[in-house]
Amino acid sequence: MKTVECQNQIHVDGAVGEEPQMPDKDTMAMTGTEDTPGGRASPDSQDLPPSVFHSIKFFVLCHSLLQLTQLMISGYLKSSISTVEKRFGLSSQTSGLLAAFNEVGNTALIVFVSYFGIRVHRPRLIGCGAILVALAGLLMTLPHFISEPYRYDGTSSGNMSQDFEASLCLPTTLVPAPASSSSNCSSHMEAKHLAVVGIMFMAQTLLGVGGVPIQPFGISYIDDFAHSNNSPLYLGILFAVTLMGPGLAFGLGGIMLRLYVDIDRMPEGGISLTSKDPRWVGAWWLGFLISAGAVALAAIPYFFFPREMPKEKQELHFRRRVLTVVSKDEDAPLGEPAKKQGLAQIAPDLTMIQFIKVFPRVLLRTLHHPIFLLVVLSQVCMSCAVAGMATFLSKFLERQFSITASYANMLIGCLSIPGAIMGIVLGGILVKCLHLSPVRCSVLCLLGALFCLLFNLPLFFMGCPTHQIAGITHQPGSQPGLELFPSCMEPCSCPSDDFNPVCDSSTRVEYLTPCHAGCTNQAAPDKSHVSYTNCSCVTGSGSVRAGSCDSACSHLVLPFMVLISLGGVMASVIHTPSFMLILRGVKKEDKALAVGIQFMLLRVLAWMPSPVIHGSAIDTTCVHWAQSCGRRAVCRYYDNDLLRKRFIGLQFFFKVGSLACFALILAILRQQDKEEGTKVTCPGLQQQLLVSQPEKKPEESRV
């Protein structure tokens, strides 16, 4: 009798979350499991020869590569955010909203994963989602192909000499009055710009929708058919490989942005720009093309995996031994009701309408836990800081330290991302090796948030003010009236919307164009060294060099990145212990749903609004906007001191919020520890309470 009960229990555990009864042949034909070994992939089936697609190890390998490429294509926009702004004339607020739209499609559908999880062919749905992600990546490249070639000057993009001549100071009697950009606008051009921006927003939304089934279905598939001892190892490998995705995204961005944006349609005469020129726009679209191809290749194997595969044989032997021991101590039927308590377990028995009605009640019940609520709130605060930093750090480095977008991405990919991976691993090791209780987990989280905050403080002082820009900024101590040049620019016909910056190295004064410096001649055009001479507004030699003036504190970029990386390590250490606080702070049957609700709240409250908040704060520090068809386009100059204070200040604000939440969590846990005696410190008493609860639940369910 015990043997029969043991075998029945093995079949119940064969597919987590499914009905105990074996389906008939018609049911197998309808659900698509008839072609799998043994219909429902019975572990003992030996009818077919072993296939690589019936190996959970091969699935782990494929899923690691897929999640790696998915995160690479999702994070690539953040590496090229400033380039996309320049190319299409977007403000930081708009680009932040564009980055956040990746989460909109994901959040809208992620709730229903627990409902459809058992009813669908998970590998095929993962493959379909990956194909949609690849198509979204291709859609992101479409604006490049339907737009006109990039014009970095006020004239044609194909004539290099006109670029220099148009920027020189020419007498108003020799040339007609320059036309502003608004006179060249038409309703067709404005509609085309809106269409291009709309395509990018649509692509980001589809990118989020396609990613909905990939991680949840992949993790549940591995957990269902892996050896119970191997499942944590497989998931650890999966997460470790996946975390490399953002690093590869920034590395790919660093390589692609070294190439000119119109590399596929270069003008005959070439271009006169280098990557250090503020007008340079890299091949942002090429990274999306490569990432989309990688995702499409990684999606192919999923259409060959079965709906259900055999359990690993070690799992069968292990389960038999364990269940034999368990069956001697407790009756098997008494254990079944405990498995049918949570929403994730009873979802297969509910219709869609019933699921929608039940979900809000379970959501409110989960949010009733004070520890759960505070942990999620602290993670929201920390995620707001991380989301803003990930989206705009490369742009901040470009503006604050006068470095190229390519170099900024390389620094982030080589320092910040590996530091975050190390922090997550370190947090997991500390929790496992030290056997941390909830109170000690909260102490570890509090210390991590505190050190993260301390590493943030010196960043307020690591930077330089914006150098003087003629006609825009005025620095204390400079000559009065120098910034306006009323006399030296009077005979020139300078276009108001032209942008070809030059720098007077002796005084560190920057001019919008050579015309604004009163220059009438140019040196022999050279891609790396272009200079203008006979400049009436420049004292001394009367010559200026092309390009913006270098920052006086560019040597601080490496110390700045080291502090950012150390703060990232401390913030990542919090990851695992905060998850443990959630898992130990809610009822056993609500754990799966609590984690799902946590991810949903993080998306809605952190990853969606944070890029918009940071982008809006960055826009408030702009001192000179480019104009396009009468509307405000991309910002050309920022007040660097104000930019640093507001960007780092937002980071500081969110990290203080996270620290305060962890302090409240620690206070509540200690208070509960005092009230309930040795509930936390005595594992034996906890174990007795956990064992006694399943014995009472069947009686309550009968009532």
Side-chain angles (χ1 to χ4, degrees):
M1 187 66 182
K2 295 290 185 181
T3 306
V4 173
E5 292 175 357
C6 177
Q7 291 176 349
N8 290 336
Q9 189 68 20
I10 292 172
H11 287 298
V12 169
D13 291 340
V16 176
E18 295 208 6
E19 295 294 333
Q21 292 83 5
M22 295 288 289
D24 55 17
K25 189 173 182 180
D26 295 335
T27 306
M28 289 188 292
M30 282 195 321
T31 56
T33 59
E34 193 173 20
D35 58 341
T36 60
R40 292 190 74 253
S42 174
D44 298 322
S45 174
Q46 300 294 332
D47 297 338
L48 296 176
S51 168
V52 67
F53 292 105
H54 290 79
S55 169
I56 194 66
K57 295 183 179 65
F58 185 65
F59 183 87
V60 172
L61 173 63
C62 292
H63 206 62
S64 299
L65 294 177
L66 177 60
Q67 288 199 181
L68 174 71
T69 54
Q70 183 214 355
L71 276 189
M72 184 169 68
I73 195 172
S74 299
Y76 181 76
L77 178 63
K78 296 176 177 62
S79 70
S80 54
I81 198 80
S82 61
T83 301
V84 173
E85 287 180 9
K86 281 192 285 187
R87 179 64 181 92
F88 299 105
L90 305 179
S91 64
S92 294
Q93 184 183 34
T94 305
S95 63
L97 185 63
L98 179 63
F101 253 68
N102 184 17
E103 305 294 337
V104 172
N106 197 297
T107 306
L109 299 177
I110 194 69
V111 176
F112 298 99
V113 168
S114 59
Y115 177 78
F116 290 106
I118 307 301
R119 291 171 164 79
V120 297
H121 193 300
R122 284 177 287 181
R124 288 181 188 171
L125 196 61
I126 291 173
C128 292
I131 294 297
L132 185 59
V133 169
L135 292 177
L138 293 178
L139 189 61
M140 276 295 295
T141 67
L142 186 60
H144 167 75
F145 295 103
I146 66 176
S147 301
E148 297 293 330
Y150 173 57
R151 296 172 57 177
Y152 55 84
D153 57 83
T155 61
S156 169
S157 60
N159 194 329
M160 187 173 66
S161 61
Q162 289 184 10
D163 176 29
F164 298 105
E165 294 176 1
S167 299
L168 293 177
C169 176
L170 300 176
T172 55
T173 56
L174 298 180
V175 295
S180 63
S181 63
S182 58
S183 63
N184 297 326
C185 294
S186 64
S187 59
H188 172 72
M189 291 180 62
E190 192 65 18
K192 193 172 184 179
H193 172 78
L194 293 176
V196 164
V197 176
I199 288 173
M200 290 192 291
F201 273 93
M202 183 186 301
Q204 283 294 104
T205 305
L206 291 178
L207 200 61
V209 172
V212 167
I214 293 178
Q215 187 175 24
F217 286 169
I219 292 175
S220 65
Y221 194 83
I222 293 172
D223 192 57
D224 283 355
F225 305 115
H227 185 293
S228 59
N229 279 350
N230 290 342
S231 180
L233 174 63
Y234 291 157
L235 294 179
I237 294 172
L238 176 66
F239 292 140
V241 175
T242 300
L243 286 172
M244 293 161 49
L248 290 180
F250 280 98
L252 181 64
I255 296 173
M256 294 299 106
L257 296 184
R258 293 181 181 179
L259 306 175
Y260 185 61
V261 61
D262 290 325
I263 191 173
D264 57 328
R265 46 186 177 183
M266 291 285 285
E268 295 181 1
I271 58 172
S272 58
L273 295 181
T274 64
S275 59
K276 294 183 179 180
D277 196 296
R279 299 173 297 168
W280 174 270
V281 171
W284 61 273
W285 56 274
L286 199 53
F288 280 109
L289 209 59
I290 294 173
S291 301
V295 173
L297 289 176
I300 294 175
Y302 287 88
F303 295 98
F304 300 96
F305 282 108
R307 178 176 180 137
E308 296 176 358
M309 66 170 58
K311 281 273 193 177
E312 289 183 299
K313 292 187 177 181
Q314 299 88 337
E315 170 72 5
L316 290 176
H317 299 317
F318 177 77
R319 295 288 290 181
R320 285 196 182 101
R321 289 197 300 269
V322 171
L323 289 172
T324 303
V325 175
V326 172
S327 63
K328 295 178 182 178
D329 298 329
E330 59 183 19
D331 195 9
L334 290 177
E336 290 181 7
K339 287 191 173 184
K340 301 292 292 182
Q341 293 297 319
L343 180 61
Q345 284 75 28
I346 66 174
D349 301 330
L350 301 177
T351 64
M352 174 68 77
I353 302 300
Q354 290 173 334
F355 178 82
I356 294 175
K357 289 180 178 179
V358 168
F359 179 77
R361 292 201 298 267
V362 181
L363 174 63
L364 291 175
R365 185 180 71 185
T366 306
L367 293 178
H368 240 49
H369 298 283
I371 298 298
F372 173 82
L373 201 58
L374 283 172
V375 172
V376 170
L377 189 58
S378 66
Q379 290 182 338
V380 164
C381 291
M382 193 61 74
S383 296
C384 280
V386 172
M389 185 68 75
T391 306
F392 290 109
L393 179 58
S394 60
K395 177 176 181 174
F396 179 83
L397 295 176
E398 292 174 48
R399 296 293 182 171
Q400 197 68 219
F401 302 106
S402 298
I403 62 176
T404 64
S406 174
Y407 183 49
N409 286 329
M410 285 297 182
L411 287 176
I412 297 171
C414 294
L415 293 177
S416 295
I417 304 299
I421 296 174
M422 288 174 54
I424 292 176
V425 173
L426 179 61
I429 292 174
L430 290 175
V431 172
K432 179 176 176 59
C433 295
L434 300 179
H435 304 286
L436 298 182
S437 64
V439 174
R440 292 183 178 180
C441 281
S442 63
V443 171
L444 179 59
C445 291
L446 186 66
L447 291 176
L450 178 61
F451 280 105
C452 181
L453 196 64
L454 293 177
F455 284 125
N456 197 95
L457 285 175
L459 303 181
F460 281 104
F461 312 101
M462 299 178 69
C464 298
T466 305
H467 53 267
Q468 186 177 353
I469 303 161
I472 296 175
T473 62
H474 174 74
Q475 291 189 345
S478 61
Q479 300 178 17
L482 182 65
E483 71 278 5
L484 298 178
F485 305 112
S487 58
C488 62
M489 287 177 56
E490 188 174 351
C492 303
S493 56
C494 300
S496 59
D497 55 353
D498 196 9
F499 184 61
N500 182 16
V502 293
C503 178
D504 180 8
S505 302
S506 59
T507 58
R508 290 186 53 79
V509 176
E510 185 170 325
Y511 304 86
L512 290 178
T513 65
C515 180
H516 288 81
C519 304
T520 58
N521 296 323
Q522 61 178 2
D526 182 79
K527 288 187 177 182
S528 56
H529 299 91
V530 178
S531 60
Y532 299 89
T533 57
N534 197 21
C535 304
S536 59
C537 297
V538 178
T539 58
S541 62
S543 63
V544 293
R545 62 173 179 83
S548 293
C549 298
D550 294 329
S551 173
C553 52
S554 56
H555 61 283
L556 294 177
V557 64
L558 285 179
F560 186 92
M561 283 304 302
V562 168
L563 288 175
I564 287 285
S565 302
L566 291 175
V569 171
M570 294 294 103
S572 301
V573 167
I574 298 172
H575 185 269
T576 301
S578 62
F579 265 107
M580 297 306 298
L581 287 173
I582 288 178
L583 295 177
R584 297 178 184 180
V586 298
K587 295 180 180 179
K588 184 178 181 181
E589 63 268 19
D590 291 340
K591 285 183 180 180
L593 186 65
V595 174
I597 292 173
Q598 175 208 18
F599 279 114
M600 184 184 70
L601 293 176
L602 287 179
R603 284 188 170 95
V604 173
L605 300 179
W607 290 97
M608 286 172 59
S610 179
V612 182
I613 294 172
H614 282 78
S616 301
I618 290 173
D619 284 342
T620 60
T621 66
C622 183
V623 294
H624 178 62
W625 291 92
Q627 298 293 321
S628 176
C629 295
R631 63 174 177 82
R632 195 174 70 176
V634 66
C635 180
R636 286 175 174 163
Y637 293 105
Y638 292 92
D639 183 338
N640 283 349
D641 283 339
L642 197 58
L643 173 64
R644 185 175 62 255
K645 291 175 183 177
R646 292 189 177 174
F647 185 74
I648 303 300
L650 270 176
Q651 297 286 307
F652 190 82
F653 171 77
F654 288 125
K655 291 173 182 177
V656 167
S658 180
L659 181 67
C661 289
F662 282 124
L664 288 175
I665 292 169
L666 180 60
I668 292 174
L669 287 175
R670 285 185 171 175
Q671 184 66 25
Q672 290 178 352
D673 195 18
K674 291 179 181 178
E675 292 176 356
E676 300 180 12
T678 58
K679 180 179 179 181
V680 176
T681 56
C682 294
L685 181 58
Q686 279 188 329
Q687 193 170 6
Q688 291 176 7
L689 291 173
L690 290 175
V691 170
S692 62
Q693 285 175 0
E695 296 176 358
K696 295 179 181 179
K697 285 182 178 178
E699 297 179 2
E700 295 174 359
S701 62
R702 294 192 191 102
V703 173

